[in-house]
Structure formats: C-alpha cells, structure tokens
C-alpha cells in the first residue's frame, strides 16, 4: 500500500462536489457543500474518502473511521477544528518574467495609463528586453520563487503563460522554464503559449502573426517530450505518485491578447486556426482595454476560457450562453490598473459559469494571492463568498482543463488541500482578507 494520510477533527470540510461535475453554472455557484466535524483520507496523493467523525473515535485516531485505523494510516494530522478546503486554482498567470517593472509603477502613480506606458516602450516590450538579457537558469530561479509564494498563499493548480519572449528562441526559453517548474513543483501546472502578447519590436503586426503561425507553433510542437517524475522539496507535503511518465508538450494551450492596440479578432482567428492543427486549445485575453471581439472569436474556436472581460456588453453574455467556454475575470488587474470590474453578477444571473484568477504579472497585477482575488470578488464584484469560492476553485480548474483532477473535495481527485487554523469559515476568509488563515498546505 502507498502513502496514507488521515486528517481528523476537521471543523468543516468544504468544497465537496460529486464526481463528474466539472464546473458550476448560474445558481449552482451559490452553494458550497460541506461536512462539519469531518475526516478525510488521502491515499497515494488522492482523496480516498471522507465523512463525518464518528462519536466514538478515540483521541489516538484509532478504529472506527472506515479503513482508517492508526496502523494503516502512515500519518495522522489532527485538524484541531480547522477547515479543510480544496486548494485554490489559478487559471491565468504570467509568473515567468525577469526583473520587475517598479519604474512603471511610479509612472502609473503619476497618472500614465497602461496603454500610455506600453506606447512609450514600457509594458510587455520592457519585460521582453529584460527576459532576453536574463539566463534561463536565472529566469527559472526568479519564477520558482513566485510559484512557491503562490503555493504558500494556497494555490495548488496554476496556469502559466509565455509571452515575454516575442521571438521563437525566447518563447521556447519561457516554455522550457514552465516545463521545469512543472517537473519541480508539487503544484499542478499548465503551460500556455502567448506569443501574441505584443508585436515584437521592428516587425509589422501581420509579419509577426505570420511568424507565430509558421515558425513558433511548429517549433513548440517539435519540442514535445516525455516528462519526468516530479522531485519535491521544501515544507509543502507532497503526495505525488512516483514513477509516472507522461507526454509533456511545451504548450497545453494557446492564448492571444485580443484587445485594442494589440491583436485584432482577425489576427486571433489566424493564430487559432494554426494552433488547431496541433490540437492546442485556446484561452483568450479579451475585452480588458476595449470591447474587442475577443469573446466572440474565442467562442467560435471553442476556447476553454475567455479572460479579463472588464469591458463587456450584453452581446458577450449572449455569445457565451450554451458554450463550453469559461468566462474568467481577473479582479486583481481591475484593482491595480483602476479598470472597471467585470459584470460578474450579471454573468451568473444569465446562467453562465464564472471563474476568477489572479493574472499575476509585472504590469497589471503583481500579486498571485488568490485569497485576495476572492476578497475582491466579494467586495468589488459583490459575489457571495460561496460564488467567489466556486469561481476560485472548481471553475478556475475547469478554465485550465484540470477540473477532473483538482478544484474540489471529490474522491479520486488530487489531494490538493488547504488546512486552516481553527475558527475560520468560508465567509471569514474574504472578510478578514489580510489575517493569515492557512495552517498547512497539502499538495
Ligand atoms: O493580462 N493583458 C495582457 N497581459 C497582461 C499584462 C502583461 C504585462 O503588462 O506585462 C494582463 O494584464
Ligand atoms: Fe493576463
């Protein structure tokens, strides 16, 4: 038998979802199933069972929980009345970048907009220059530190984009760094190729789109390889099964910054056509700076998600109805850039699902704290704690294609869990939004 961990005396085990439910839509987002006074058993890194603590369990954990006597559980964790929750899922980040953009932070404070900073050669092009001049090893080191910080904040599944390379070589460098993060972290990581993040210096938009289609995508495809067993370090408990070898592509998804001043819906369609030949599904940046047409083109190509949505009209809500595309809002960038917040409640009222993600990046959201994202969802978008929690867990897992594996308490899923200090509940987490609540992360 493999490694077993029994967690007992859980004050509230929250985020229980039946197997096979991969996302929550509309009214379903208003509820979070939980069990008070619970136990949960982990076997070989997966949730093997959970239930209510029987009255007669002795304080040594012996006996009565089915299959959970002390002898067979290799490790017993006493939750001491704390909550156990699925770890947050963060379906949209740009954490592989070099250096920082603190200078632009000052420009922003002095009144320049995101677009004005970009037009002066700041923004994404500034990060591309920094990345070009940074070694792959150093880029990995800086990115790994951010990933570890996100895990400490409670994220257990994380999507990471390229997009600060803007040349074939530097985009591959970023994607190799993401692959190395996948191999060396207990978090579940997905990689997205975002060559179309900004037009590379010295190129026309149309030439650059050609290059993405004819050079970058084929290069990425030819670099797929067999992955390695994960190596685990640090204070996080990892229960990743050993010895599995999976095919690891350099890119799980393709993304385009379809927005005013960046790429048009026509550019986006060309890139998505090209990516579909490699079987790479889209996740699209849409409607951050303008009503861009990005939602519609994303839906047309069956995007897994369309993200940002700070500026949307009823047409976008209509376009998303009846699709498999997850609308994803990034309140951290609304907060940092002073943009409008997405119309989250209206999306949900229309029966749509909704995911929230951090957008952690050096220009528009320099934080990967999903608990703060959940708080912004409640405080600024007026989501209930249950809606915000579902958006930050199951639905965000869906938006990165991992809701079979993560995002809820479900038998068979990875045991990616947050154990809180005693005295916490779902409402208190976004309410006391700066008070430390995590006692232990289990991945
Ligand atoms: O999601 N909008 C495009 N990309 C990022 C910002 C990237 C940057 O400024 O470095 C975003 O906000
Ligand atoms: Fe982004």
């Amino acid at each position: 038998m493999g490694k077993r961990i029994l967690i007992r005396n859980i004050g509230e085990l929250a985020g229980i979802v039946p197997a096979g439910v991969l996302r929550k839509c509309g009214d379903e987002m208003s509820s979070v199933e939980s069990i008070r006074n619970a136990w949960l058993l982990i076997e070989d890194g997966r949730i093997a069972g959970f239930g209510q603590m029987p009255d007669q369990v002795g304080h040594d954990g012996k006996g009565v929980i089915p299959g959970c006597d002390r002898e067979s559980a290799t490790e017993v964790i006493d939750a001491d009345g704390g909550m156990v929750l699925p770890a947050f899922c963060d379906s949209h980040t740009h954490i592989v970048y070099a250096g920082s953009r603190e200078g632009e932070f000052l420009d922003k404070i002095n009144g320049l907009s995101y677009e004005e900073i970009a037009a002066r050669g700041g923004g994404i092009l500034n990060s591309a220059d920094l990345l070009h001049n940074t070694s792959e090893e150093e880029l990995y080191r800086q990115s790994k530190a951010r990933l570890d910080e996100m895990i400490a904040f409670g994220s257990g599944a994380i999507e990471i984009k390229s997009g600060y390379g803007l040349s074939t070589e530097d985009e591959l460098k970023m994607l190799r760094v993401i692959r190395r993060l996948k191999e060396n972290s207990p978090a579940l990581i997905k990689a997205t190729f975002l060559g179309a993040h900004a037009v590379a210096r010295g190129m026309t938009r149309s030439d650059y789109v050609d290059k993405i289609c004819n050079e970058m995508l084929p290069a990425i495809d030819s670099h797929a390889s067999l992955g390695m067993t994960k190596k685990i370090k640090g204070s996080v408990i990892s229960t990743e099964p050993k010895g599995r070898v999976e095919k690891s592509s350099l890119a799980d998804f393709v993304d385009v910054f379809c927005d005013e001043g960046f790429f048009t819906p026509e550019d986006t369609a060309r890139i998505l056509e090209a990516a579909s030949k490699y079987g790479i599904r889209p996740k699209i940046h849409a409607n951050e700076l303008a009503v861009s047409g990005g939602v519609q083109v994303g839906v047309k190509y069956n995007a897994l998600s369309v993200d940002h949505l700070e500026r949307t009209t009823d047409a976008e809500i209509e376009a998303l109805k009846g699709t498999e595309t997850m609308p994803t809002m990034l309140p951290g960038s609304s907060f940092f850039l002073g943009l409008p917040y997405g119309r989250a409640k209206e999306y949900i009222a229309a029966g749509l699902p909704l995911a929230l993600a951090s957008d952690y990046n050096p220009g528009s959201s320099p934080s990967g704290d999903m608990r703060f994202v959940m708080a912004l969802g409640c405080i600024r978008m007026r989501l209930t704690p249950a809606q915000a929690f579902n958006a930050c867990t199951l639905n965000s897992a869906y938006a990165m294609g991992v809701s079979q594996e993560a995002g809820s308490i479900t038998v068979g899923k990875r045991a990616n869990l947050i154990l809180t200090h005693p005295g916490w509940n779902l409402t208190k987490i976004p309410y006391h939004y700066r008070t430390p609540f995590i006692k232990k992360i289990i991945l």
Side-chain angles (χ1 to χ4, degrees):
M1 189 185 299
K3 187 173 176 188
R4 299 179 106 204
I5 300 173
L6 170 65
I7 310 176
R8 58 196 294 274
N9 290 331
I10 300 169
E12 185 181 354
L13 176 66
I16 300 167
V17 170
V21 175
L22 300 183
R23 60 176 184 173
K24 291 192 178 188
C25 303
D27 290 345
E28 295 161 355
M29 290 190 67
S30 297
S31 53
V32 172
E33 303 307 321
S34 69
I35 298 177
R36 285 180 197 283
N37 191 26
W39 59 269
L40 180 137
L41 180 68
I42 302 168
E43 246 175 49
D44 285 332
R46 305 218 165 239
I47 298 171
F50 54 83
Q52 194 152 39
M53 291 286 289
D55 295 340
Q56 61 274 51
V57 170
H59 47 250
D60 62 350
K62 247 194 174 72
V64 240
I65 299 170
C68 296
D69 54 279
R70 181 139 204 158
E71 288 71 28
S72 65
T74 27
E75 189 181 345
V76 177
I77 296 172
D78 196 314
D80 198 21
M83 296 183 89
V84 169
L85 309 160
F88 293 123
C89 299
D90 191 346
S91 61
H92 182 136
T93 84
H94 309 247
I95 60 168
V96 174
Y97 62 84
S100 90
R101 306 225 300 262
E102 284 147 25
E104 294 175 18
F105 182 45
L106 295 179
D107 293 339
K108 190 179 95 69
I109 290 168
N110 288 324
L112 292 189
S113 70
Y114 184 79
E115 292 93 323
E116 286 164 335
I117 291 169
R120 296 192 340 167
I124 295 164
L125 293 180
N126 183 359
S127 283
D129 292 342
L130 289 166
L131 187 131
H132 182 70
N133 294 318
T134 301
S135 73
E136 191 162 328
E137 187 59 34
E138 175 59 17
L139 185 62
Y140 172 77
R141 201 191 58 75
Q142 293 181 17
S143 308
K144 180 69 163 58
R146 282 186 281 271
L147 176 62
D148 290 344
E149 185 199 62
M150 293 177 70
I151 293 171
F153 282 148
S155 288
I158 297 163
E159 181 258 19
I160 310 173
K161 299 175 195 296
S162 71
Y164 294 119
L166 312 182
S167 70
T168 306
E169 225 162 84
D170 288 342
E171 285 294 311
L172 288 172
K173 172 162 118 179
M174 290 189 75
L175 290 169
R176 284 192 302 268
V177 167
I178 300 173
R179 179 160 71 191
R180 202 169 148 199
L181 294 172
K182 280 189 187 183
E183 290 167 355
N184 289 284
S185 168
L188 180 51
I189 292 173
K190 290 286 173 184
T192 298
F193 167 58
L194 175 56
H197 200 188
V199 177
R201 270 189 225 287
M203 290 188 83
T204 65
R205 205 178 70 227
S206 135
D207 287 349
Y208 185 60
V209 171
D210 282 343
K211 184 170 172 168
I212 290 171
C213 298
N214 302 329
E215 191 180 307
M216 293 189 186
L217 281 165
I220 289 163
D221 186 62
S222 69
H223 281 73
S225 72
L226 290 180
M228 296 189 299
T229 305
K230 291 193 173 196
K231 286 173 245 128
I232 307 303
K233 290 184 223 100
S235 59
V236 173
I237 298 179
S238 173
T239 54
E240 174 68 15
K242 299 245 168 357
R244 265 189 326 168
V245 177
E246 342 178 300
K247 181 159 189 279
S248 126
S249 168
L250 271 182
D252 301 299
F253 304 109
V254 60
D255 194 346
V256 176
F257 188 8
C258 181
D259 223 319
E260 197 168 270
F262 290 84
F263 295 89
T264 65
E266 293 70 34
D267 301 329
T268 307
R270 278 174 64 201
I271 294 167
L272 301 191
E273 280 295 340
S276 71
K277 297 192 192 103
Y278 303 101
I280 308 178
R281 203 165 166 193
K283 282 168 65 63
I284 299 296
H285 275 77
N287 298 47
E288 175 185 4
L289 307 172
V291 177
S292 69
V295 170
Q296 287 81 352
V297 69
V299 163
K300 178 166 175 214
Y301 286 90
N302 194 26
L304 187 56
S305 70
V306 286
D307 303 25
H308 270 291
L309 313 178
E310 285 87 348
R311 303 175 201 269
T312 56
T313 67
D314 294 347
E316 279 70 31
I317 294 180
E318 279 309 311
L320 282 159
K321 284 185 184 167
T323 73
E324 292 176 357
T325 302
M326 178 63 71
T328 301
M329 295 183 183
L330 312 170
S333 32
S334 298
F335 173 76
F336 189 77
L337 296 180
L339 300 177
Y341 286 83
R343 299 159 60 188
K345 285 195 94 67
E346 290 172 67
Y347 275 64
I348 294 174
L352 292 172
L354 180 77
L356 296 177
S358 75
D359 197 20
Y360 193 173
N361 76 73
S364 66
S365 183
S367 161
D369 182 352
M370 282 299 286
R371 192 263 192 102
F372 183 56
V373 169
M374 184 180 166
L376 288 175
C378 295
I379 297 162
R380 304 308 306 273
M381 300 167 122
R382 300 181 47 245
L383 297 174
T384 64
Q387 289 170 330
F389 178 76
N390 285 318
C392 290
T393 53
L394 186 71
N395 283 1
S396 195
Y398 178 98
M400 56 186 289
V402 301
S403 62
Q404 299 268 14
E405 282 282 293
S408 66
I409 303 297
T410 304
V411 170
K413 281 197 183 181
R414 287 186 189 220
N416 280 8
L417 306 172
I418 295 172
L419 168 57
T420 78
H421 294 293
W424 285 83
N425 59 53
L426 208 60
T427 300
K428 201 168 159 181
I429 291 171
Y431 171 65
H432 283 300
Y433 62 94
R434 288 291 296 139
T435 306
F437 74 113
I438 297 176
K439 184 168 161 193
K440 191 191 266 305
I441 302 290
I442 301 176
L443 297 183

